[in-house]
Amino acid sequence: ADSVVVFGCGPVGKSHARELQRQGTTVAAFLEVDPRKIGKQVHGAAVHGMDDASGFAHLPAIGAVAGPDARAEIRRAALASGWTESVDFFAVA
């Protein structure tokens, strides 16, 4: 994909985003639950809250967060916003 969305901008999400960018893929946005991170820029991409997720559902997305609770939360948000797991949304961590 030319451009992707990354759920999670902690260490796991940042690591995956760096590798995607290294391989020529643009990170269109990060989607994050932590209010302290929302509104910032990470690796040149804006960090949005989960309320903005559906606006990015036309792009493929990866879920890159540590911990089963966080993974479950972003999986629910992705599916509710229009992504389909294993089609255009992939949990990578």
Side-chain angles (χ1 to χ4, degrees):
D2 294 335
S3 190
V4 299
V5 174
V6 177
F7 279 82
C9 68
V12 175
K14 286 177 185 174
S15 175
H16 279 82
R18 274 193 306 273
E19 181 58 24
L20 287 164
Q21 290 171 326
R22 190 185 71 73
Q23 294 186 29
T25 299
T26 299
V27 175
F30 286 91
L31 293 168
E32 178 60 56
V33 297
D34 185 343
R36 296 169 299 173
K37 297 175 183 176
I38 296 167
K40 299 192 183 226
Q41 292 270 321
V42 175
H43 300 313
V47 180
H48 293 264
M50 292 297 177
D51 290 345
D52 295 341
S54 62
F56 295 99
H58 62 286
L59 296 170
I62 64 167
V65 296
D69 292 341
R71 276 194 299 277
E73 186 173 347
I74 64 163
R75 182 173 273 123
R76 279 191 300 274
L79 299 178
S81 297
W83 280 279
T84 301
E85 190 156 10
S86 299
V87 174
D88 53 10
F89 171 78
F90 302 89
V92 297

